[in-house]
Amino acid sequence: MDSPRDIVEEFFDRMEDDRRNTVGDLFAEDAVITLPGAAFEGPTAAYDFLAHLEPRYEWAAKEFDRWIEAGDTVVSVGSLYGVDNDDADFSDVRYVDIYVVRRGLIERLDIWNDLAVDGVVPVPVDDAPAVPAEE
């Protein structure tokens, strides 16, 4: 079986190529995804997450700084770069992603980034649905 980091790296690969529409295959049926201003849960969480991202910028990619691995938890730290909705380049936007991977599937993804702080996307409204903390 692939390691938790292998699963996370496969997720990143699919997000940056023509397999983006298959990322849901990497998530558990009861997956939880949280990010600034939004939260998604359940069997469609990955696809709801993608739909949420689509109008936010033209494209974005990650430059990895470091990985932290502990059991079934994988943390990716780095910066985002890409093109915003006004066709302006952005770069050096900090991010931290925390993944919990069990039985070869991503069960939880918590995303923190400075896209709003850096003016790439609008500041999120604090009305995201509540998602329970990991037990």
Side-chain angles (χ1 to χ4, degrees), residues 37-94:
F40 310 98
E41 187 173 11
T44 63
Y47 298 110
D48 296 339
F49 166 66
L50 290 177
H52 173 79
L53 294 181
E54 192 170 327
R56 296 173 57 84
Y57 38 76
E58 289 297 317
W59 66 270
K62 294 183 175 182
E63 185 172 306
F64 307 109
D65 176 40
R66 64 190 173 277
W67 296 90
I68 302 166
E69 300 173 67
D72 56 9
T73 301
V74 178
V75 179
S76 173
V77 180
S79 60
L80 299 165
Y81 63 94
V83 175
D84 70 16
N85 283 333
D86 295 324
D87 290 324
D89 292 342
F90 65 87
S91 61
D92 299 320
V93 177
R94 296 179 310 166

Side-chain angles (χ1 to χ4, degrees), residues 1-122:
M1 178 179 283
D2 292 330
S3 73
R5 180 165 167 182
D6 291 337
I7 301 298
V8 171
E9 289 193 55
E10 178 65 18
F11 171 71
F12 287 144
D13 290 347
R14 291 184 189 196
M15 287 293 287
E16 291 189 7
D17 66 25
D18 60 356
R19 298 174 300 150
R20 186 179 187 126
N21 65 342
T22 68
V23 297
D25 298 344
L26 300 173
F27 284 81
E29 286 288 313
D30 58 349
V32 173
I33 301 173
T34 67
L35 63 154
F40 310 98
E41 187 173 11
T44 63
Y47 298 110
D48 296 339
F49 166 66
L50 290 177
H52 173 79
L53 294 181
E54 192 170 327
R56 296 173 57 84
Y57 38 76
E58 289 297 317
W59 66 270
K62 294 183 175 182
E63 185 172 306
F64 307 109
D65 176 40
R66 64 190 173 277
W67 296 90
I68 302 166
E69 300 173 67
D72 56 9
T73 301
V74 178
V75 179
S76 173
V77 180
S79 60
L80 299 165
Y81 63 94
V83 175
D84 70 16
N85 283 333
D86 295 324
D87 290 324
D89 292 342
F90 65 87
S91 61
D92 299 320
V93 177
R94 296 179 310 166
Y95 83 87
V96 175
D97 294 345
I98 301 175
Y99 297 80
V100 176
V101 180
R102 294 187 182 114
R103 295 172 299 281
L105 296 171
I106 300 168
E107 289 188 358
R108 186 172 184 100
L109 166 55
D110 294 301
I111 297 169
W112 287 273
N113 63 56
D114 287 342
L115 285 168
V117 170
D118 289 354
V120 177
V121 300

